[in-house]
Amino acid sequence: MRFLMFFLIVFSIELSAQHQAYLDVGNVRALVNSDGLLFHNKITGLGGFEAPIGDSINSIFASAIWMSSGDTLSGKTAKVSIGHEIYGNQDEIYVGPVDIISQKKDTSGKFQRLWKIEKDTVDYHIANWNQPNYQIPTSILEWPGNRNSNTAKILAPFEDIDGDSIYEPKQGDYPLILGDQAIYVIANNFKDEPVDSIFEYVPDPNNPSIIIDSIFKGISTPMQIEIHMMLYAYSNSTKEISNSIFVRTKLFHRSNSSLLDHFNFKFSTFNDFDIGGPSDDYMGTDTIRNMVFAYNSPNIDIGSNQIKGYSKNLAAQAVKFLNSSLAGSMEHIDPFTGLWGHQKRFVIPLQNGRWPNGRFLTYGGDGYLYCTDRNNLTSYYFPGNPVLIGDSSQWTALNRCPTDTTYGQHPPSDTRIIGTPKLSTSFLHGTNIELNYAYVFAQDTGGVVASIAALQVAADSVQAFYDREKFVGISEQKVRTQLDFKVYPNPAKETITIETNLLDFELDIVNLQGQLIQQFKNTKVLNISNLTEGIYFVKIKSKSKLGVKRLMVVD
C-alpha cells in the first residue's frame, strides 16, 4: 500500500510537471499551463507572475485569450462563435492539436502536455549532433515537430536540415525557439458541441442585473481554432527586457469548411492584474504604446492573507502588443461579486466596447454611470496618461471626471481589463494569424506616478528591442544547409584557426548566454587572448547558411 501511494504521488507530480512549467531565466518567474492559461496556478488558486523573481510577490493573477466572431447568415440571422478562458473553468480551450481528418480535438497522450526548452541546449545540439557518443537531450527529442497521422503536417517549428518535413534530431534537425528559454503550448477550441440557438437578453432598465426578456438572434457554432503559443524570456539582458515575458501566438483555422469562415474575427487578452495586494489597484490604457496596464493606487501596497504586497516599492504591469495597434480596451467586472458576474455571452460586447447589458463605453467617470458623456462614445477605458498630473483633461483612474474635479479618483479595486489588438476581421479556413505581445513589469520607490513612468520607459525599451532584434539568434536561424568548417586548436588559449573554403563569411563568438563577444569578417586566424576561461560557440555565416562549433577556452 505504501509503495502504491508513493507511486501515485510520483505519477501525479510528473503529470503536473507535463501540464505546467515556469519561465524563470530573467527577473520574472512566470507559470504557464498546457491549455494556454497564463500565470495562474489552478491547484492553489494563486497568481503565478512573480516579479521580481525571488520576492514571492505576484503582479498578475491570470491572463487568457479570448476569440470571437459575430457574423451574419443571409444578412439576417447571426452566426456567433466564441472561444475564451478566464481562470481555466470555462471548458472552451483544450490541450493538444486538432484532428483535421475527423474535425475534432486530438486527445492522444503525445500532445497532452507543454514543452520547455533552453537556448543553450539547442545551441549545443547544433554544434554536437554528429559527434561520437553524443546523447540528444530529452527536450530536443520530445519537441513536437512530428505530427500524428490526423494532425497538421508540421506543428512546433523546427529547422529541417534535409527538407523532408520530418523532425529528425538525429539527423541534425533542431527546434526553432525564441529567447534564452521558451515554453511551447499547443491547444485548441474544437469543442464537441452541436449548433445551438443564441438569444439577446433584455435587462430591466432600472436594474441591469435582472433579465426581463430574450430575443432569438441566431445560432452558435464552434470556432475551430488551433492555438500555438511560444512564451519566452531573456537572461542577462537589460532590466526592462529581463522584467518582461514575451509571447508569440499563432492561430490556425483548422476547419475544412467555408461555412465556418469568420468575417468579424476578434482576438483579446483577458488580464486579471493583482499588483501585489489584489484589491487596491488602478487600470488604464495607453493608446500610444498599444498596451493595457494596471498600477498600485496607494503610497504603500499592502498584501492580505498569504498574498504579499510591494510595500513602498510600487509596481505597474502591462500587456503590450508589439506587432499590432490597439483597437480597444474594456473593464471586466469581477466575475464573482460584480453586477453581472461572467457569462459567455458577455465576450463579444466587451470586445466591442460595450458593457454586458449592451450599453456603450462612454468617456468620463466610470464609463458607465456618473460623470460620463453619454454622447461621447469611446473604445478605450481610462486612455489618459496618469503621468501628466497637471493636465486635468486626462481621463484616468486618478482623474476620473475631467469635467468636474470634485469627483476625485476612481475607487481602487481588483482590476481586470481586456485588451483587443487591431487585426484583419477575415479569418478563413486554412489560414493563420500571428500576434506578438509582451507582459512588461516595472516598479519605482518614487510613488504611483513614478511607477507608471517607469512602466512607460520599460514598454518603449521592449518595443525598441523587438523592432531592432526581430528576435533572431542562433536558435532561430532559418537555414537549409549547415556550413561545415573546422576550429583548431580546441581547447585553445591565445589564437584559433578557422578552416573553411568560403571567401565571404562572417564569424561570431558568443558565450553560453547567447551574448556576442567578438565578431570578425573574412578572417581565418582569430585572437582570443581576451576571452576568459569557459565554453563559447563559434558561428560562421554566409548568405543563408550557418555553421556552429563549440569552443573551449583555457587559461
Side-chain angles (χ1 to χ4, degrees):
M1 177 62 74
R2 289 182 179 178
F3 174 79
L4 178 60
M5 291 180 65
F6 174 78
F7 172 80
L8 291 174
I9 291 172
V10 171
F11 178 77
S12 176
I13 293 173
E14 290 180 350
L15 184 63
S16 176
Q18 296 285 312
H19 282 278
Q20 62 181 26
Y22 284 93
L23 280 174
D24 52 9
V25 295
N27 198 35
V28 175
R29 186 170 186 260
L31 178 64
V32 180
N33 293 285
S34 57
D35 60 358
L37 176 66
L38 303 182
F39 321 136
H40 183 69
N41 192 318
K42 298 179 183 180
I43 298 174
T44 65
L46 298 175
F49 194 96
E50 182 184 315
I53 194 169
D55 282 2
S56 301
I57 312 175
N58 292 293
S59 58
I60 305 178
F61 182 73
S63 184
I65 65 174
W66 286 15
M67 303 176 293
S68 74
S69 178
D71 306 319
T72 59
L73 298 174
S74 303
K76 297 180 180 180
T77 305
K79 177 173 75 75
V80 174
S81 304
I82 295 174
H84 84 301
E85 191 51 79
I86 51 174
Y87 303 117
N89 53 4
Q90 297 302 302
D91 190 32
E92 289 187 7
I93 297 180
Y94 310 96
V95 182
V98 171
D99 181 336
I100 59 176
I101 305 299
S102 302
Q103 287 290 286
K104 62 181 182 180
K105 54 181 177 287
D106 182 278
T107 58
S108 58
K110 177 180 179 180
F111 298 116
Q112 298 300 301
R113 54 168 295 186
L114 48 66
W115 297 265
K116 180 178 178 179
I117 192 166
E118 311 288 334
K119 179 177 180 291
D120 292 348
T121 304
V122 177
D123 292 339
Y124 190 75
H125 175 73
I126 292 173
N128 293 277
W129 67 270
N130 57 355
Q131 298 300 310
N133 302 318
Y134 171 65
Q135 293 185 346
I136 301 177
T138 301
S139 60
I140 299 287
L141 282 173
E142 295 183 351
W143 185 251
N146 284 334
R147 63 174 183 171
N148 280 348
S149 59
N150 289 349
T151 67
K153 189 173 184 179
I154 295 178
L155 294 174
F158 62 92
E159 182 54 45
D160 188 8
I161 299 300
D162 58 9
D164 63 356
S165 298
I166 300 174
Y167 179 61
E168 300 168 302
K170 293 181 180 180
Q171 303 302 317
D173 293 352
Y174 56 88
L176 290 171
I177 70 167
L178 304 171
D180 294 321
Q181 184 186 74
I183 294 175
Y184 203 81
V185 170
I186 302 177
N188 72 87
N189 79 319
F190 264 58
K191 191 169 185 178
D192 301 327
E193 63 179 5
V195 174
D196 197 7
S197 298
I198 58 174
F199 298 89
E200 180 178 298
Y201 295 91
V202 180
D204 186 331
N206 298 317
N207 189 348
S209 63
I210 299 177
I211 302 300
I212 60 175
D213 198 2
S214 62
I215 303 172
F216 174 76
K217 297 296 292 184
I219 59 173
S220 173
T221 62
M223 293 211 73
Q224 313 298 66
I225 306 299
E226 184 174 291
I227 306 155
H228 289 222
M229 303 175 72
M230 185 179 292
L231 291 96
Y232 53 103
Y234 292 85
S235 63
N236 297 323
S237 188
T238 63
K239 177 180 67 175
E240 292 81 8
I241 305 306
S242 63
N243 277 346
S244 301
I245 297 295
F246 298 86
V247 186
R248 184 183 69 183
T249 295
K250 296 192 74 170
L251 308 174
F252 297 86
H253 196 322
R254 297 298 196 201
S255 172
N256 57 17
S257 171
S258 61
L259 295 176
L260 293 177
D261 286 346
H262 304 306
F263 298 99
N264 192 22
F265 179 78
K266 285 188 179 295
F267 172 94
S268 306
T269 61
F270 162 83
N271 310 287
D272 187 342
F273 294 123
D274 285 357
I275 315 295
S279 302
D280 56 0
D281 300 326
Y282 287 144
M283 65 183 116
T285 305
D286 191 325
T287 57
I288 296 175
R289 295 176 175 84
N290 300 310
M291 68 184 190
V292 293
F293 62 98
Y295 51 100
N296 289 137
S297 60
N299 292 322
I300 298 178
D301 179 41
I302 302 174
S304 60
N305 298 326
Q306 56 183 317
I307 301 174
K308 292 179 63 177
Y310 283 101
S311 188
K312 294 182 179 180
N313 198 8
L314 301 185
Q317 176 74 56
V319 178
K320 175 176 173 52
F321 294 98
L322 299 168
N323 68 333
S324 55
S325 57
L326 189 64
S329 62
M330 189 65 178
E331 180 184 18
H332 182 274
I333 303 296
D334 188 329
F336 303 111
T337 62
L339 183 63
W340 294 292
H342 178 82
Q343 297 182 37
K344 181 177 180 177
R345 63 186 176 89
F346 296 162
V347 170
I348 291 181
L350 290 171
Q351 287 183 310
N352 286 274
R354 294 192 180 198
W355 297 98
N357 66 349
R359 181 180 292 177
F360 281 100
L361 175 66
T362 50
Y363 193 88
D366 62 356
Y368 179 72
L369 283 175
Y370 55 84
C371 187
T372 186
D373 183 354
R374 293 288 180 85
N375 297 316
N376 188 0
L377 307 183
T378 181
S379 299
Y380 306 102
Y381 194 73
F382 287 143
N385 186 349
V387 174
L388 303 178
I389 55 177
D391 186 351
S392 61
S393 67
Q394 301 291 322
W395 180 37
T396 71
L398 300 178
N399 182 44
R400 61 176 171 170
C401 190
T403 60
D404 185 352
T405 56
T406 60
Y407 276 92
Q409 298 179 355
H410 190 67
S413 63
D414 189 349
T415 55
R416 297 169 180 84
I417 191 168
I418 297 142
T420 302
K422 187 176 294 184
L423 302 173
S424 171
T425 56
S426 295
F427 194 8
L428 309 183
H429 71 289
T431 63
N432 65 81
I433 296 173
E434 179 177 321
L435 301 105
N436 289 275
Y437 45 101
Y439 293 85
V440 185
F441 173 83
Q443 60 184 156
D444 196 284
T445 57
V448 174
V449 173
S451 69
I452 302 170
L455 181 68
Q456 293 174 352
V457 170
D460 291 342
S461 297
V462 166
Q463 185 69 60
F465 180 81
Y466 175 82
D467 293 338
R468 181 180 67 250
E469 300 295 332
K470 298 301 181 185
F471 303 116
V472 175
I474 291 178
S475 302
E476 302 101 82
Q477 297 293 335
K478 296 187 175 181
V479 294
R480 280 297 172 196
T481 306
Q482 292 225 43
L483 292 173
D484 188 25
F485 71 108
K486 293 181 180 179
V487 177
Y488 63 87
N490 194 359
K493 182 177 182 180
E494 299 289 339
T495 62
I496 57 173
T497 299
I498 306 298
E499 185 177 307
T500 176
N501 294 324
L502 296 171
L503 298 177
D504 186 17
F505 59 92
E506 295 179 358
L507 285 165
D508 293 342
I509 297 181
V510 299
N511 61 18
L512 284 175
Q513 287 73 45
Q515 296 171 320
L516 178 64
I517 305 301
Q518 287 184 323
Q519 194 168 39
F520 306 88
K521 184 173 178 62
N522 300 332
T523 302
K524 294 186 178 182
V525 179
L526 312 182
N527 184 347
I528 61 167
S529 59
N530 63 330
L531 299 184
T532 59
E533 186 175 27
I535 296 174
Y536 298 83
F537 293 103
V538 179
K539 178 171 65 171
I540 188 170
K541 297 180 290 184
S542 179
K543 297 180 180 179
S544 63
K545 298 179 181 180
L546 168 73
V548 181
K549 295 293 185 182
R550 182 174 179 268
L551 170 67
M552 179 174 290
V553 176
V554 295
D555 288 338

